[in-house]
Every structure is written in structure tokens, then in C-alpha cells.
Amino acid sequence: MLGFLRKKLKAVFSGKQEPKAVKSPKKIKKAVSGPKKIVSPQKSTPAPVKREKKSIFKLFKKDELVLEELELSLLECGVALEVIEQLLEQVKSAKREEWKAVLKREISKLLMPAKIKIKAGEKPYVIMLSGINGTGKTTTLAKLAKYFQNKNKSVVIAAADTFRSAAIEQLKVHCDKLGIKMITHQYGADPAAVAFDAIKHAEAKKIDVVLIDTSGRMHVDTGLMKELEKVKRVAKPHLSLLTVDSTTGNDAVEQARAFSDLIDGVILTKFDVDERGGALISVSATTGKPTYFLATGQKYNDLESLNPKKIVAALGL
Ligand SMILES: Nc1nc2c(ncn2[C@@H]2O[C@H](COP(=O)(O)OP(=O)(O)OP(=O)(O)O)[C@@H](O)[C@H]2O)c(=O)[nH]1
Ligand SMILES: [Mg+2]
């Protein structure tokens, strides 16, 4: 916003716009340094102000108001502040009449739906899920298993979360319900070794898909992020996906940055809890990676493809 304000004031001083509409340099300085403060031409000039000058400042104020409206729509949808700033910078380079359309277009471009395509020879097809704690990795993994079963593909699951207590038992419940074999080691074992064993098992039994569950890790925990790198190095997944909780706010940017090099795409989880899509906009803008699914509930079939139009519509622009 401030950049925009500065530009306008620069135009006033360079003579491109009527200078008299602004009271004094002192006031201008205040307007520049204060947040979104606009100098009122009426208050600042005791002499009658010409119509022309007035309209310039009306437009100026109108621009600010439109930008604020766009900013508010993005904030209300839970888009991270950093991403809002980036988006508004793009918007401001267009004509004001086009701002809303440009914003919608830019967001649509960011949201890239993708589908899993298994090529001939990719057997077993290996998928690894990662993400911060509680974002829905294990539940989504079970949904993915069901997704492949629905396509008549055989599945084996690697319980590579050997860290969190009860993680293996939680996954076992899903595997038993779905009739899927789970490869596991002891708690505290190397997760990369679990993934490796599951892939070897799939190769021996000619199983189509290996799904690797990993433990939740905070993106700031460098030790655990290194561990994830190792799992990836060993398992060489065809697809490495990050689960992002729909309710994530500003933190989505930092999460996305930390995982970005380790992932090929995103699954937005708990979309039934928060359908605004702001977290997905933030993560997509930060990683440039596509979205494979939206997880929309607790049932195994609650997986949907991303429809960018739905997310853009939720912005209410
Ligand atoms: N409403 C809703 N709840 C979900 C969804 N996905 C997961 N959950 C719930 O979110 C909670 C955490 O899910 P988990 O699958 O255990 O998450 P996780 O990422 O594996 O957790 P950690 O392994 O502890 O990091 C559970 O209560 C799930 O039932 C979803 O799409 N919608
Ligand atoms: Mg889990």
C-alpha cells in the first residue's frame, strides 16, 4: 500500500498532478509514514479547490479503497499476509478497472489441479506423505489406499512414523479395515529402512502401490527435516506430497518453504472444516507445486480433485 501512496505523491511533486491539493510537505511526510493515511484536499487548502484537483484525489482514495477491499477479501479467506502483498503488487501493475479480474486470474493460475498418472513400468508406484504434526497424513494415506483399491490397484503401506506413540497402531486400524498389509519396524527404528522394506515387499509380491506414512514434523526442526530427506533419498518416491491443513494461516508460507524442495505437490486436508482455500493459495504461491487432492472429511472416500473456480468463488470478489 505504501509503495502505491509514495508513487502518487511523487507524481504530485513531479508536477504530473496538481500540487495544491496537498496541504504542506509536512503533512505529506506524515501521510507517507503513517499507515494508509490519505491527505484530505478539503481540510488542507483553505481556498476553494478546483473540480479537477478534487477528482484526482477522489480517484486516489478510490484506488486505496478498492485495494483495501481486495486485501480484506484475501485476509478473510485466510491467505497469508506475505502472499497478499505479492498478489496486490501484481494487481497494482494493471489498470484499476481490471484489478479484480487480474487478482482472480492470478489466483486461478496459482491453483494447479493435478492427477496421479502411473506410467508403464512404474511398479511399485511409490508415494510418500509428509507434513507438520496433525495435518492429516495418516488419514489421507488411508484414503489414498482406498482410492487405489477403487482402481483395482494393490497397495502396501509403510508405517514409517516410528516416532509418535500409537502412530503404528493408528495406521494398523486403517490397514485392517481396508485389508491392506502394513510393513512396520519397532518404534524408534529408522523410517527410511521401513520405507525400503515396504518397497522390497511390493517388488517381491508384485504390488502396484507403496504408500509411505511419515511422522509429523515441525518445519523448523532441522533434525527431523534431515530425516525426511533421508526417507526420500532411500525410497525415491514417484510422488512426494505435502499435507496442508486448511485452517493454517500465515504459517502456511514458512511450512511450504521448508518442505518445498522435498515435495512434488500438495494435498489440502480438512477442507470440510475450512472451505475458504486461503492456506492452499499461500502454499501454491510459495511452492509453485500443484494440488493432487482436497481431503474433505473422515471417511475413506472423502477425497476430491481441486476445482480452482470454487476457491476463487469463495473469495467473494
Ligand atoms: N474433518 C476432517 N478431519 C480430518 C481430515 N483429515 C484428517 N482429519 C483428522 O485430523 C486428525 C489428525 O489426523 P491424522 O491423520 O492423525 O494426522 P497426521 O498428520 O497423521 O498426524 P501426526 O502423525 O500426529 O502428525 C484426526 O482426528 C483426523 O481424523 C479431513 O479431511 N477432515
Ligand atoms: Mg500420522
Side-chain angles (χ1 to χ4, degrees):
M1 285 284 174
L2 283 179
F4 176 74
L5 200 63
R6 275 189 207 106
K7 225 160 121 188
K8 276 278 167 190
L9 290 167
K10 208 173 149 195
V12 168
F13 282 114
S14 64
K16 283 181 193 153
Q17 289 178 15
E18 286 291 334
K20 274 185 194 164
V22 180
K23 195 179 184 179
S24 69
K26 205 173 153 198
K27 271 265 174 181
I28 294 160
K29 205 174 163 199
K30 208 172 161 195
V32 172
S33 57
K36 293 171 200 164
K37 201 156 181 182
I38 297 159
V39 180
S40 156
Q42 284 88 350
K43 272 189 217 160
S44 57
T45 315
V49 183
K50 281 181 197 167
R51 273 184 155 211
E52 206 183 315
K53 288 173 206 163
K54 246 186 174 177
S55 69
I56 288 166
F57 278 85
K58 258 190 183 166
L59 180 71
F60 179 17
K61 188 154 186 167
K62 205 168 164 191
D63 288 350
E64 282 284 309
L65 290 175
V66 174
L67 281 177
E68 271 176 25
E69 190 198 329
L70 299 180
E71 189 178 359
L72 206 64
S73 306
L74 295 168
L75 275 173
E76 279 172 355
C77 277
V79 183
L81 285 170
E82 194 178 324
V83 174
I84 293 180
E85 273 175 28
Q86 289 163 16
L87 285 167
L88 291 185
E89 277 309 313
Q90 280 171 297
V91 160
K92 281 190 274 180
S93 58
K95 286 191 221 136
R96 183 168 53 76
E97 307 81 73
E98 293 167 7
W99 282 355
K100 269 189 195 179
V102 170
L103 183 60
K104 284 192 206 175
R105 192 188 65 213
E106 290 305 318
I107 292 175
S108 302
K109 271 202 276 179
L110 290 176
L111 301 170
M112 295 171 286
K115 279 197 161 68
I116 297 177
K117 286 179 200 130
I118 303 180
K119 293 188 202 124
E122 291 181 329
K123 186 169 174 168
Y125 189 82
V126 180
I127 301 179
M128 176 176 108
L129 285 194
S130 60
I132 70 154
N133 311 69
T135 45
K137 293 172 293 300
T138 306
T139 312
T140 306
L141 199 87
K143 290 176 190 172
L144 281 176
K146 180 73 177 159
Y147 167 87
F148 285 113
Q149 283 183 326
N150 290 345
K151 293 183 178 298
N152 295 318
K153 302 262 182 217
S154 51
V155 178
V156 64
I157 283 179
D161 181 358
T162 57
F163 182 73
R164 181 174 63 77
S165 65
I168 298 173
E169 289 76 8
Q170 180 194 1
L171 194 54
K172 184 79 170 66
V173 170
H174 289 303
C175 290
D176 289 348
K177 278 192 195 160
L178 293 163
I180 288 172
K181 179 152 179 78
M182 180 177 88
I183 303 298
T184 181
H185 289 191
Q186 301 283 337
Y187 280 104
D190 182 357
V194 182
F196 183 82
D197 281 1
I199 294 165
K200 289 289 151 213
H201 174 87
E203 282 169 1
K205 303 283 175 187
K206 303 202 174 354
I207 290 171
D208 297 310
V209 179
V210 178
L211 300 175
I212 305 169
D213 188 26
T214 63
S215 60
R217 64 201 74 223
M218 293 308 291
H219 48 291
V220 287
D221 190 327
T222 43
L224 286 179
M225 291 305 288
K226 285 244 172 311
E227 180 197 81
L228 190 65
E229 274 172 44
K230 185 180 172 193
V231 179
K232 190 175 178 202
R233 218 166 37 241
V234 170
K236 298 184 186 66
H238 297 90
L239 196 59
S240 168
L241 298 176
L242 174 70
T243 53
V244 177
D245 186 324
S246 296
T247 60
T248 318
N250 282 324
D251 195 43
V253 171
E254 286 308 317
Q255 281 181 33
R257 248 182 220 136
F259 282 91
S260 192
D261 289 344
L262 292 169
I263 58 160
D264 304 301
V266 174
I267 297 181
L268 183 70
T269 60
K270 309 185 194 180
F271 193 59
D272 53 314
V273 179
D274 184 339
E275 292 192 351
R276 299 171 305 162
L280 187 62
I281 294 173
S282 304
V283 171
S284 304
T286 310
T287 62
K289 306 277 163 86
T291 301
Y292 281 77
F293 294 101
L294 304 185
T296 56
Q298 314 251 13
K299 295 195 286 302
Y300 290 135
N301 284 323
D302 288 338
L303 266 190
E304 286 178 16
S305 320
L306 166 68
N307 179 356
K309 281 189 192 148
K310 219 170 138 181
I311 305 276
V312 174
L315 289 165
L317 293 170

